[in-house]
Amino acid sequence: MSINEVAQVKRLTLNKIMLYLLSVAFLFLSFLTKFQEWVLFLVSLTILGDLIYLNRKNLKNFDYLSLFILFIPIIGIGLMYAFGNFSSYYYSLVDRIFMPLNIISFVMSGVVLARGDKNLIKYIFVGLFTGLALICLINAITTIVKFGFFYTFNNAQQYMYYGGVISTTSIESIAYCLVGFRLMPVSVLTYLIYPCLLLLICLFYLFNPRRCKKNIIYCSSLLVVSLFSILVVISKFSFIVILPMILYIIVMMVLFIFPKLFNRPVTISFMVIGGLLAVFSLLFFLNSQSTNTAIKAFTSSNSFLNLLFNNRLARPIYLVLDGLFLKEKLFGFPILYDEIAEAQVMPCTNFAANQFMYMGIIGVMFLLLLFILFVYSFVSLRKNKKLDFMNKCMPFLFIVGTMVIFSFMDSGNLSIYGFIPNISATNPFFLFTLMLIGLQYTHSLGGTNNEK
Amino acid sequence: MLSSCGTELSKTAHFNVDHSGVWEDNFYTRWDESLRNKETEQVTITEDENQVFTSFYDQHFLDLEPDHSLTYYDFDETSFGTHRNLALHDPLVNDGFVSKLFNGLLFCNGWYELARVQINEEGFSSSFYKPIQSADYLFLQFKSALDFKQHSPTAHYADITIHISLYGKRNVTYSFPLVNVITNASDGYTFFGFSLDGFDISGTTDFAITYTLDRDEYNEEKGTNISHALMLYEFGFGHPTF
């Protein structure tokens, strides 16, 4: 090799290492700077800048207007988070200004990634997954040191105290997590999100034969860390919470092992399930309104419907949704679910319901538009035969997996003593999901460098 | 590392205090087993020599606490509780059930279970995380109570001997007999303490509070044996150094 070629190789390697380290830094900083959005923005901007620099040649000939439709809901969601009543009450102006900027920055990173060299994606993802595994390990070891082994069985009915204030739940529902610069006790829900996401990630590595062979040690390490983290807090409660995710993973395992199934029968099944879920969601929403006596009579008319609509998990969700459609509130406009502080309604464990609280009905409409664009981009991507399986399906399956997880495990409260908000706009996984949506949408527009 | 697991468990309580509504369930009796049977030097406090006070307005307390602008009854920016609670000096005492004794809440006043620790004569022990080296005085705010459910809350008097043990470089139990302690009165708080002048408390890392019920007027008159408790509200030191 000539001296110039050696220098070029060294520069490329250095860039890749820097990208890898930046990704790990992003994940750690996004946890450590829990209440400092501007620091997160600096990190995300650095990643975006680095990606743009590395891919500058590929970005020249691209129709950016085609991204306009994607950025309508993205900017809308960002603005609703920033200027909604919930954020205004709990976050400073500095944090709120950077919320939409962070959201846009991550989606742009996804767009640039899709236009970039496919090998670069590997470095970002490996960095993020390694950082996630490290955080899972830190949380698991801290929980064991603080509470001991099998504390969910041995010490279930004990309560923690701080400054005389008792924890809202007993310690079988408490674990230790890295939040901000502190290792603090949080609900098991918050703790479980990280190993569940890691388990989801392992799925895509382990059941993709080509990647699995090359990375078997790395994949197995991730799997061991995630299972160990889940085992630390295993109990009847945590098992019920992660059950939907386990079912999702089993379905995905079947699809990976029998890929031919992932065609017409599965597509039709998904459409049927999607339709049923849409009907269920609509009924659920209408049932939450205390003035809808006819719907309430219907949903409690027999034991099956009663179990489906009026169970213990549904009640906190109803509290959040109730009152949004009363006429005097103008259907939740402008923006606000404006009785947060007075009503003291806590965020529930359902992502969709919590968005009504965080950004109001208009924000939810934007989120729905984003979801429609996401599904549409996947459908058009499936027809693209030039892309390999991972680039085609992985973002979709991962995002659907996180939707399943966050339908049951969206932790809106970080504290076990009072209330520390944990809105989605500050959640690194929400931002990572938006990055994947940007990635998938750009792929669906075609002409990217990741096509074979 | 395995043997050091479960470090937070000693700070938890097995019950949600006062939510059970059952008197007997609410006693806090957790003892560090290494301290329970430890031999301590017995010191009996005397009223004049050790400047014992049993009220916020006692001359002995006014002499020991130079800041007379601190108020007694309210929990606000001027109150004694806000300025003299131990958590100000050692934030780690905020962790755990016994943190109720260090949060500056001296009264029930609607705080209820946020403010008090209910003990029987067996008492309890707990730890400081920063060893105390010296202090001007020690104080303990408490109420004396009989089980309300077993009789109507008639105010009366009891004789109690308080034992406060400090462990560390030296293990000493300070005792003082209190006579005619108001019992079962809704505003009947006792603000007890004494001067630590002449006592070497350097290196104190743990403490224990127990008491002896010498006489209860109501039980004595009625011939009953109704369960007695001390409701501890605040425990601390005046001007401690660490």
Side-chain angles (χ1 to χ4, degrees):
Chain A
M1 264 202 228
S2 68
I3 294 172
N4 280 342
E5 281 167 345
V6 167
Q8 200 175 4
V9 166
K10 276 188 183 166
R11 208 168 30 243
L12 273 173
T13 310
L14 207 60
N15 277 326
K16 285 174 184 172
I17 291 171
M18 197 170 85
L19 205 57
Y20 172 81
L21 289 173
L22 273 175
S23 310
V24 178
F26 150 67
L27 198 67
F28 266 94
L29 277 175
S30 61
F31 287 97
L32 294 178
T33 59
K34 191 69 201 167
F35 305 108
Q36 290 161 329
E37 290 293 292
W38 63 271
V39 177
L40 183 58
F41 179 62
L42 281 179
V43 173
S44 66
L45 208 59
T46 315
I47 294 179
L48 178 63
D50 199 54
L51 279 172
I52 291 173
Y53 175 75
L54 287 170
N55 295 303
R56 56 192 182 281
K57 289 177 192 158
N58 303 325
L59 294 172
K60 278 181 188 163
N61 303 316
F62 182 61
D63 179 18
Y64 289 97
L65 278 177
S66 53
L67 290 174
F68 177 69
I69 295 174
L70 177 68
F71 275 88
I72 292 173
I74 291 294
I75 292 171
I77 285 166
L79 289 174
M80 294 299 127
Y81 272 129
F83 301 108
N85 205 34
F86 189 92
S87 308
S88 307
Y89 186 80
Y90 288 109
Y91 292 89
S92 67
L93 184 63
V94 169
D95 281 335
R96 286 189 290 124
I97 284 171
F98 284 103
M99 280 179 195
L101 292 176
N102 271 326
I103 287 172
I104 292 168
S105 168
F106 277 98
V107 174
M108 274 306 301
S109 298
V111 168
V112 172
L113 260 181
R115 299 289 305 165
D117 181 357
K118 62 182 171 185
N119 288 322
L120 286 176
I121 297 177
K122 181 173 71 175
Y123 286 93
I124 293 223
F125 285 175
V126 167
L128 288 172
F129 302 157
T130 309
L132 181 58
L134 277 171
I135 286 173
C136 284
L137 213 52
I138 289 170
N139 294 344
I141 291 172
T142 308
T143 305
I144 290 175
V145 168
K146 296 284 190 182
F147 289 147
F149 290 97
F150 308 114
Y151 72 96
T152 48
F153 298 107
N154 295 336
N155 310 95
Q157 292 309 310
Q158 289 178 340
Y159 288 81
M160 293 184 71
Y161 289 81
Y162 187 84
V165 180
I166 193 171
S167 54
T168 51
T169 50
S170 57
I171 70 167
E172 66 175 331
S173 307
I174 299 173
Y176 270 81
C177 230
L178 189 63
V179 176
F181 286 97
R182 283 181 60 192
L183 283 161
M184 60 187 263
V186 297
S187 70
V188 160
L189 267 180
T190 307
Y191 170 95
L192 276 174
I193 286 171
Y194 311 123
C196 284
L197 282 168
L198 196 60
L199 202 57
L200 198 63
I201 286 158
C202 292
L203 172 77
F204 299 110
Y205 271 110
L206 286 172
F207 290 94
N208 191 269
R210 191 166 58 89
R211 284 177 198 268
C212 182
K213 270 189 205 164
K214 284 198 293 186
N215 305 299
I216 189 77
I217 296 172
Y218 181 69
C219 308
S220 308
S221 315
L222 291 185
L223 186 65
V224 164
V225 167
S226 64
L227 288 175
F228 172 67
S229 301
I230 291 173
L231 274 170
V232 166
V233 297
I234 196 72
S235 67
K236 195 170 73 171
F237 169 75
S238 57
F239 185 73
I240 289 170
V241 156
I242 65 175
L243 189 60
M245 195 210 70
I246 292 172
L247 289 172
Y248 177 78
I249 285 177
I250 291 171
V251 168
M252 289 300 115
M253 276 165 60
V254 169
L255 289 176
F256 274 115
I257 293 169
F258 303 105
K260 285 186 184 167
L261 282 178
F262 201 53
N263 286 310
R264 202 179 303 169
V266 167
T267 313
I268 293 173
S269 309
F270 275 168
M271 283 168 64
V272 168
I273 291 170
L276 282 172
L277 277 173
V279 170
F280 173 78
S281 304
L282 183 65
L283 267 176
F284 192 90
F285 185 87
L286 292 172
N287 195 41
S288 70
Q289 306 303 305
S290 49
T291 49
N292 278 343
T293 46
I295 300 280
K296 282 191 180 301
F298 169 69
T299 54
S300 47
S301 56
N302 66 55
S303 56
F304 172 70
L305 285 176
N306 206 34
L307 187 66
L308 202 60
F309 286 100
N310 301 316
N311 55 61
R312 199 162 52 95
L313 289 175
R315 281 186 218 121
I317 305 174
Y318 286 153
L319 278 174
V320 173
L321 296 177
D322 188 19
L324 277 173
F325 273 142
L326 290 179
K327 283 184 183 169
E328 55 267 27
K329 288 187 197 295
L330 293 176
F331 302 100
F333 181 85
I335 302 172
L336 321 168
Y337 183 22
D338 61 3
E339 290 167 354
I340 302 293
E342 292 84 25
Q344 300 208 345
V345 175
M346 302 296 275
C348 58
T349 54
N350 179 272
F351 174 82
N354 286 341
Q355 301 321 302
F356 281 100
M357 184 186 269
Y358 299 148
M359 45 180 192
I361 193 105
I362 293 182
V364 171
M365 291 296 130
F366 278 126
L367 202 62
L368 205 59
L369 176 61
L370 186 68
F371 179 72
I372 291 168
L373 285 174
F374 156 69
V375 172
Y376 172 77
S377 64
F378 174 67
V379 168
S380 51
L381 202 65
R382 281 203 61 207
K383 295 174 194 159
N384 185 336
K385 296 197 191 317
K386 292 183 193 171
L387 276 175
D388 65 358
F389 175 78
M390 282 302 280
N391 276 311
K392 208 167 19 177
C393 296
M394 196 274 254
F396 178 78
L397 291 174
F398 183 81
I399 290 168
V400 171
T402 54
M403 281 167 61
V404 168
I405 292 174
F406 283 100
S407 295
F408 299 91
M409 291 170 59
D410 187 24
S411 169
N413 182 7
L414 281 175
S415 172
I416 55 162
Y417 298 107
F419 183 62
I420 298 177
N422 183 28
I423 73 170
S424 312
T426 62
N427 188 328
F429 296 108
F430 181 67
L431 297 170
F432 179 58
T433 307
L434 291 178
M435 188 200 282
L436 288 179
I437 290 177
L439 178 83
Q440 181 178 279
Y441 191 84
T442 313
H443 272 314
S444 71
L445 296 174
T448 65
N449 274 1
N450 291 299
E451 293 170 354
K452 285 184 256 190
Chain B
M1 186 181 121
L2 285 179
S3 61
S4 67
C5 287
T7 56
E8 290 293 294
L9 293 177
S10 62
K11 301 179 199 170
T12 61
H14 66 276
F15 50 83
N16 193 352
V17 174
D18 291 339
H19 288 205
S20 75
V22 177
W23 175 269
E24 288 302 328
D25 290 345
N26 292 334
F27 285 109
Y28 184 75
T29 54
R30 196 191 286 274
W31 266 89
D32 183 334
E33 289 308 314
S34 67
L35 298 176
R36 194 192 280 271
N37 298 315
K38 189 172 261 202
E39 276 193 27
T40 57
E41 182 189 335
Q42 303 294 316
V43 172
T44 303
I45 302 294
T46 54
E47 188 166 345
D48 289 323
E49 196 181 316
N50 303 112
Q51 292 179 272
V52 172
F53 52 87
T54 54
S55 156
F56 193 80
Y57 305 103
D58 260 352
Q59 191 56 48
H60 284 159
F61 177 69
L62 294 172
D63 292 338
L64 289 166
E65 175 51 66
D67 188 351
H68 297 166
S69 68
L70 297 177
T71 56
Y72 184 47
Y73 280 104
D74 299 315
F75 183 64
D76 57 21
E77 58 271 7
T78 63
S79 71
F80 176 81
T82 311
H83 287 265
R84 295 286 179 261
N85 68 80
L86 198 67
L88 288 172
H89 303 281
D90 182 4
L92 285 175
V93 298
N94 274 319
D95 284 329
F97 182 83
V98 182
S99 62
K100 295 162 189 256
L101 298 183
F102 307 118
N103 60 8
L105 297 177
L106 269 69
F107 303 95
C108 197
N109 285 1
W111 299 110
Y112 301 117
E113 62 270 17
L114 279 181
R116 63 173 181 248
V117 174
Q118 178 178 327
I119 67 167
N120 55 22
E121 290 175 81
E122 187 187 335
F124 74 99
S125 75
S126 189
S127 305
F128 305 123
Y129 297 94
K130 294 199 298 193
I132 297 177
Q133 301 306 324
S134 70
D136 290 346
Y137 61 90
L138 169 158
F139 67 89
L140 177 71
Q141 166 104 331
F142 66 88
K143 280 175 94 166
S144 167
L146 289 186
D147 181 357
F148 283 8
K149 291 251 166 68
Q150 292 194 54
H151 77 110
S152 61
T154 317
H156 59 279
Y157 294 103
D159 296 342
I160 294 163
T161 303
I162 293 269
H163 310 286
I164 297 175
S165 304
L166 300 179
Y167 303 90
K169 248 197 270 179
R170 300 176 63 227
N171 304 318
V172 183
T173 299
Y174 304 93
S175 304
F176 186 78
L178 289 161
V179 292
N180 291 335
V181 176
I182 186 77
T183 303
N184 270 16
S186 59
D187 285 331
Y189 295 89
T190 303
F191 184 70
F192 162 77
F194 54 90
S195 166
L196 290 170
D197 184 31
F199 295 121
D200 177 16
I201 64 163
S202 62
T204 297
T205 53
D206 302 273
F207 72 96
I209 301 175
T210 63
Y211 72 97
T212 315
L213 179 65
D214 301 317
R215 182 188 79 101
D216 180 79
E217 190 181 59
Y218 184 90
N219 276 328
E220 199 176 68
E221 282 174 10
K222 305 286 182 186
T224 49
N225 190 23
I226 298 170
S227 170
H228 180 272
L230 281 194
M231 306 294 192
L232 307 181
Y233 285 85
E234 194 75 7
F235 174 60
F237 296 83
H239 315 286
T241 60
F242 292 85

